[in-house]
Amino acid sequence: MIRNPASTPRRRVAVTGIGLVTPVGNDVATTWEALLEGRSGADTISLFDASGFSTRIAAEVKKFANVLVVDRRLLKFTNRSHRFALEAAEQAMRDAGIRPTPDDAHRWGCAVGAGMMTADFDDLHETHAYAAAAGELDVDLLLSDRPANDPLVFCRGQSAAGLALLTRRFGIHGYATSVHTACASGGQALGTALKAIRRGRVDRVLAGGFDSMISPVGIGGFCLLSALSPDNDTPQRASRPFDATRNGFLLGEGAGFVVLEEWESARARGARIYAELAGDGNSLSSYRITDSPPDGDGPIQAMRQALADAGAAAADIDYINAHGTSTGMNDRSESAAIRAVFGTETDRIAVSSTKSTMGHLIAAAGAVEGVVCALAIDRGAIPVNANLVERDPECNLNLVADVSRRGRLRMTLSNSFGFGGSNSCIVMRRPEAVDGRSGAGS
Amino acid sequence: MAAPSIVITGSGAVCAAGAQPDDILSMVLAGQSAIAPITQWDHSQWPTHVAGEIADFDPRAMVADRKLHKLVRRTDLVGLYAAGRAIERSGIVAQRDALPPGKAAVYSDRSGVIVGSGGGNFENQYDFFPLLTQARGELPAFGRELTDVVNPMWLLRTLPNNVLGHIGIKYGLKGTNACITSHSVGGLLAVIEAFEALRSGEADRVVAVGHETPIEPQMILYYYRLGLIAADTLRPFDAARDGSQFGEGAGALVLETEASAQSRGARVLGTVLGSGNATEGHGLLAIRDDGDGPARAMAQALDDAGIGPADVGMIVAHGNGTRTSDASEVAAIRTVFGGNPPPVTGFKWAFGHLIAAAGIVETVVSLAALKSRVVPGIATLRELDPEFAGLPVALGPQTPRSDIALVLCRGFAGTNAALLVRAP
């Protein structure tokens, strides 16, 4: 008696709203301009005194003031990454020009890629000073410790906090989920949303990712793994994916959100459509927790699945937004994977990693880069892979060095690979290729 | 093309009540609560004292590979344990390993892993306390002395998706995957996502896991201050109920298409019939009094399965023992089932609220109960809340109305999930 999803024509999904808060801009227009110019968002860390760390640089979101969030009562329940999420989601909702109503709230979903659950460093610091001054927690002192008894510290630290804020802010009452697969989180959130609409669970989804790890514990965690570029004197050059001299990634922060709608209903209301979210590929490398398989096994399956899911061939893809972290291991593994999937088409397909300018937004990365792939189709332009000077011969790709490119893009693909081995790949398609009509709204 | 039937071929669970599904069911049927004084810290000066700890916790009993112990935390160990039992009982890895290399590779790519994880604890960050002490709270010294004091694997040990990654590596599963960190519904959502992935052809078999070890001082203190912890006993639906209690544990299920299970003559533990999700959207902790979210989740699951309320044999309620959650849940049951609901029970009284592991462990126990054709009682129930008059809950065992169980699960952010399973 199980309803048969395979018996009805598959629902298509439109991207009708986008929002970005990134280290290179607090909105879509500013971010997009910086990505085309290859203008870096990196600098010496200002959020805390990082002078003693081996890496003292990051790509911070700048002059951020939550300009759009009307419901300021929510802000006390937020940490920095939640504020980015509320802002980017608000941008996406306004851009889409539609909101849940009491009548259709249960047909709206929310799927987010959220960062790791933590208490803010200031709270940790305070708890240490009061209840763990000798280095170990005194559980009896915890009973009168300020942060450990402040329900707001608890609420902000919960892994479902961002989901709670977003569903409340926008009145979303349908399918809601928060996922975390490290650097693949944002891409997986978009893929999850796509599937929820296809399965008929919901008609519209607010989907995205948000993260901020630029804190003593976050930077410290990555420094301990020697994962970050130590180029403290040249922060804007530190992230140089696919360059032979790359030496680690640049930590960024921010949020990216999209409003996804069932295609026909989006057309019926005359919505402006950036692109079709056409395919999702999702695999597990099962190799090592942090290492990338040198032959690209894992990412290969994710890309192939995404193409098949979108009904696309290698020849249909015009741009790949690479995971491109600027670590030797990722960039070589990813290059091998792209070549294995795209064969001779590899020489034709433009590739860039926008982490070269924005840095690595961790749980937000896949969502922000998904937005970049939709924008590339909509604006007919390809962002630059900044800082590419000396090409690594083992990364033999058609990299967009020096200047951005212009052109009519048919399909674009975004890669996101996470610690733990999760690989997420999503494919966007030009609206005309779906139903012969442009994406302009009416 | 008919939608494939989705069956369950392996299960595993560990919590305070036992380390095997049948053992946990036996404890529940015997009316024995495994909630006991906490042993992990000295709480003699504390206002709250009990939880469902796994007694004599032995990391090596959870995961034999000692090298792995340095790379993961307690929550991951229990998750890996439950997943390992479910995978071994299902026979999927043995089947794959008997295939020639090319076919084995396809088998691995068509085998997914979906995990519901707690997302982290407060005490993960306590690993930085010795460094803060050594640095006298000064950040430059904190940065300089970082690598001398803190375990270089700190970040890796803290990843919320560790169980996902390590199951993949250990068993060579490489297909569709997710790690869901949506608080209490995470584990049941993992089962639901696995079910959906199989129905839509994204995989042939998926291991679903839920794991969490929330018994840490700072976490319990917050729940206590929020008034969510029972003074001594978790009494779902009781007139005198006064809160919930934590437990730790993990559950796992192997779900497959019927064709995949039949290809090796696998023993079938149950069939997944349908699922539902609904969110109330009123904030992190708020829940509606009228049971809107759980009612919609249950109604959706029935609709998805194409069955009616009268077909359900038993309801395994969330039953966390807080005043508002239980009351709204009863309202939801009345909305969906009217005046004639099937026997209702819940398991949290016996081993605590396992948070991200709750829904999946409760599904594992429900399958064992369906097999025994019994609805276990709620042994801590003394006096049914008069507001819930007519709710078919009992101190002792009841008989299920059919071979179908409805498992309901609720979590922070007003999230609700419902799953329908049928015994073979």
Side-chain angles (χ1 to χ4, degrees):
Chain A
M1 285 300 292
I2 291 173
R3 198 174 54 203
N4 183 1
S7 65
T8 45
R10 197 167 73 172
R11 285 150 61 100
R12 287 179 179 270
V13 173
V15 179
T16 59
I18 55 177
L20 291 174
V21 173
T22 75
V24 294
N26 294 344
D27 56 35
V28 169
T30 314
T31 298
W32 184 243
E33 193 179 302
L35 296 183
L36 292 185
E37 292 174 8
R39 200 163 63 223
S40 172
D43 208 337
T44 301
I45 291 171
S46 74
L47 290 169
F48 64 96
D49 181 351
S51 59
F53 289 75
S54 54
T55 292
R56 304 186 280 279
I57 54 171
E60 296 175 355
V61 168
K62 296 155 195 79
K63 295 180 183 158
F64 177 74
N66 266 104
V67 287
L68 292 181
V69 172
V70 181
D71 189 352
R72 307 202 77 83
R73 287 169 305 171
L74 286 184
L75 293 181
K76 67 180 181 191
F77 294 99
T78 62
N79 67 23
R80 187 170 166 85
S81 78
H82 302 139
R83 293 192 285 278
F84 298 154
L86 284 169
E87 171 76 17
E90 187 77 36
Q91 291 174 17
M93 284 290 207
R94 290 189 185 191
D95 189 34
I98 189 168
R99 300 221 168 204
T101 66
D103 288 339
D104 70 4
H106 64 290
R107 297 294 299 168
W108 274 80
C110 186
V112 298
M116 287 165 58
M117 182 207 123
T118 52
D120 283 346
F121 184 75
D122 288 348
D123 295 324
L124 181 76
H125 202 171
E126 191 177 335
T127 297
H128 169 261
Y130 183 81
E136 263 194 62
L137 180 73
D138 180 325
V139 287
D140 291 338
L141 285 174
L142 199 67
L143 294 173
S144 49
D145 174 56
R146 202 273 315 163
N149 289 275
D150 180 351
L152 291 177
V153 174
F154 171 72
C155 290
R156 291 192 292 259
Q158 285 298 297
S159 58
L163 188 70
L165 287 160
L166 291 162
T167 52
R168 176 174 162 181
R169 171 80 188 96
F170 299 106
I172 294 170
H173 292 173
Y175 176 92
T177 191
S178 186
V179 300
H180 182 97
T181 43
C183 324
S185 307
Q188 288 207 336
L190 265 56
T192 300
L194 168 68
K195 290 185 271 198
I197 294 177
R198 279 186 185 160
R199 290 165 184 163
R201 291 283 179 183
V202 286
D203 301 318
R204 298 185 170 89
V205 183
L206 174 68
F210 51 92
D211 211 342
S212 174
M213 293 185 78
I214 307 175
S215 69
V217 167
I219 289 277
F222 288 116
C223 281
L224 285 163
L225 291 170
S226 305
L228 300 175
S229 169
D231 293 354
N232 296 310
D233 299 331
T234 50
Q236 305 208 333
R237 283 267 307 135
S239 180
R240 42 185 188 282
F242 306 109
D243 189 281
T245 65
R246 68 199 176 281
N247 57 6
F249 72 83
L250 168 77
L251 189 59
E253 59 175 358
F257 272 83
V258 292
V259 172
L260 300 175
E261 294 184 62
E262 189 278 321
W263 187 272
E264 297 302 330
S265 61
R267 280 297 195 203
R269 73 175 183 92
R272 178 239 176 100
I273 297 177
Y274 288 88
E276 180 197 12
L277 176 53
D280 168 62
N282 185 13
S283 74
L284 198 55
S285 290
S286 299
Y287 178 67
R288 291 175 192 157
I289 288 296
T290 53
D291 296 3
S292 322
D295 59 1
D297 183 59
I300 291 174
Q301 291 92 318
M303 281 188 272
R304 284 191 176 140
Q305 262 182 43
L307 289 175
D309 191 42
D316 298 326
I317 302 293
D318 291 327
Y319 169 57
I320 297 173
N321 184 290
H323 185 54
T325 54
S326 188
T327 63
M329 207 155 39
N330 172 81
D331 295 356
R332 285 181 182 175
S333 168
E334 186 172 13
S335 299
I338 289 172
R339 202 152 270 283
V341 172
F342 291 93
T344 53
E345 293 290 328
T346 310
D347 300 327
R348 179 189 58 80
I349 300 170
V351 179
S352 67
S353 166
T354 41
K355 291 187 179 74
S356 59
T357 46
M358 290 189 282
H360 192 339
L361 276 59
I362 311 295
V368 168
E369 292 162 20
V371 170
V372 169
C373 278
L375 269 172
I377 288 174
D378 183 72
R379 305 285 163 90
I382 297 176
V384 68
N385 192 103
N387 297 324
L388 187 65
V389 176
E390 188 183 330
R391 289 172 189 247
D392 180 348
E394 290 192 50
C395 300
N396 184 15
L397 301 168
N398 179 358
L399 293 161
V400 185
D402 304 322
V403 290
S404 63
R405 296 181 193 168
R406 305 239 152 228
R408 184 177 185 278
L409 306 179
R410 296 165 299 156
M411 297 186 86
T412 57
L413 181 151
S414 171
N415 278 335
S416 300
F417 313 139
F419 278 177
S422 292
N423 306 301
S424 163
C425 180
I426 57 174
V427 168
M428 298 278 181
R429 176 184 276 121
R430 188 171 190 80
E432 286 91 330
V434 175
D435 57 12
R437 294 168 55 191
S438 87
S442 57
Chain B
M1 191 179 88
S5 186
I6 308 306
V7 297
I8 295 166
T9 58
S11 75
V14 57
C15 64
Q20 305 288 346
D22 289 342
D23 293 351
I24 298 169
L25 178 65
S26 298
M27 281 281 279
V28 173
L29 285 173
Q32 287 174 355
S33 169
I35 294 170
I38 293 166
T39 63
Q40 292 175 79
W41 70 90
D42 177 2
H43 46 80
S44 51
Q45 305 302 311
W46 274 51
T48 182
H49 304 279
V50 297
E53 284 180 335
I54 296 168
D56 306 317
F57 186 86
D58 177 6
R60 277 173 297 179
M62 294 290 117
V63 174
D65 179 2
R66 292 180 67 174
K67 279 180 296 189
L68 198 51
H69 296 174
K70 295 182 181 139
L71 299 176
V72 301
R73 295 184 186 268
R74 183 174 174 120
T75 180
D76 304 318
L77 291 171
V78 296
L80 289 167
Y81 168 83
R85 298 296 79 72
I87 290 168
E88 281 155 24
R89 281 180 190 132
S90 75
I92 57 171
V93 169
Q95 183 183 26
R96 192 259 327 270
D97 291 348
L99 295 171
K103 285 188 173 168
V106 173
Y107 193 104
S108 294
D109 285 341
R110 296 284 300 165
S111 303
V113 186
I114 300 183
V115 179
S117 154
N121 284 2
F122 288 95
E123 64 188 6
N124 293 347
Q125 294 196 102
Y126 296 175
D127 293 346
F128 286 88
F129 280 166
L131 175 62
L132 276 165
T133 299
Q134 187 168 316
R136 298 175 190 279
E138 299 296 326
L139 279 174
F142 181 100
R144 278 193 306 274
E145 291 159 37
L146 172 72
T147 50
D148 298 335
V149 182
V150 183
N151 181 343
M153 294 296 156
W154 182 82
L155 186 65
L156 297 187
R157 294 186 69 226
T158 309
L159 290 175
N161 53 323
N162 261 335
V163 167
L164 170 61
H166 285 291
I167 290 172
I169 291 169
K170 176 160 188 199
Y171 298 101
L173 310 179
K174 297 168 72 173
T176 193
N177 65 91
C179 176
I180 302 162
T181 52
S182 307
H183 193 243
S184 297
V185 297
L188 198 63
L189 213 46
V191 181
I192 291 172
E193 286 295 322
F195 171 56
E196 294 281 12
L198 292 164
R199 273 207 294 193
S200 54
E202 291 156 35
D204 296 326
R205 59 203 74 75
V206 179
V207 181
V209 189
H211 67 100
E212 184 146 14
T213 52
I215 305 170
E216 57 156 335
Q218 195 168 343
M219 190 79 81
I220 290 208
L221 185 56
Y222 286 124
Y223 277 77
Y224 175 78
R225 298 288 190 219
L226 289 165
L228 298 172
I229 301 285
D232 55 34
T233 307
L234 197 168
R235 300 184 194 281
F237 308 114
D238 195 284
R241 71 188 181 282
D242 63 346
S244 202
Q245 281 162 342
F246 277 114
E248 61 182 354
L253 293 168
V254 175
L255 286 77
E256 299 184 61
T257 61
E258 198 167 28
S260 168
Q262 281 171 350
S263 72
R264 65 173 187 286
R267 187 175 54 117
V268 170
L269 306 178
T271 305
V272 183
L273 300 179
S275 70
N277 310 78
T279 307
E280 293 183 346
H282 293 279
L284 188 73
L285 305 176
I287 51 174
R288 284 171 58 145
D289 293 336
D290 62 2
D292 167 71
R296 284 189 290 120
M298 290 191 285
Q300 215 184 85
L302 291 170
D303 179 55
D304 187 33
I307 63 173
D311 298 319
V312 176
M314 64 191 263
I315 297 172
V316 177
H318 187 62
N320 71 11
T322 64
R323 305 275 335 158
T324 51
S325 178
D326 284 5
S328 58
E329 198 170 354
V330 172
I333 290 170
R334 285 175 172 157
T335 300
V336 176
F337 291 87
N340 185 28
V344 175
T345 189
F347 303 132
K348 289 183 179 68
W349 65 269
F351 45 75
H353 191 334
L354 309 180
I355 314 293
I360 189 166
V361 169
E362 287 157 16
T363 303
V364 169
V365 178
S366 299
L367 285 165
L370 281 177
K371 188 174 77 177
S372 304
R373 299 287 182 262
V374 62
V375 182
I378 297 172
T380 57
L381 189 67
R382 286 189 307 204
E383 184 197 346
L384 181 67
D385 188 326
E387 298 283 318
F388 307 158
L391 186 76
V393 289
L395 196 64
Q398 306 180 73
T399 303
R401 212 156 64 174
S402 76
D403 56 359
I404 296 173
L406 188 157
V407 181
L408 182 62
C409 190
R410 316 182 65 189
F412 281 176
T415 50
N416 298 275
L419 184 77
L420 283 160
V421 291
R422 168 181 265 154

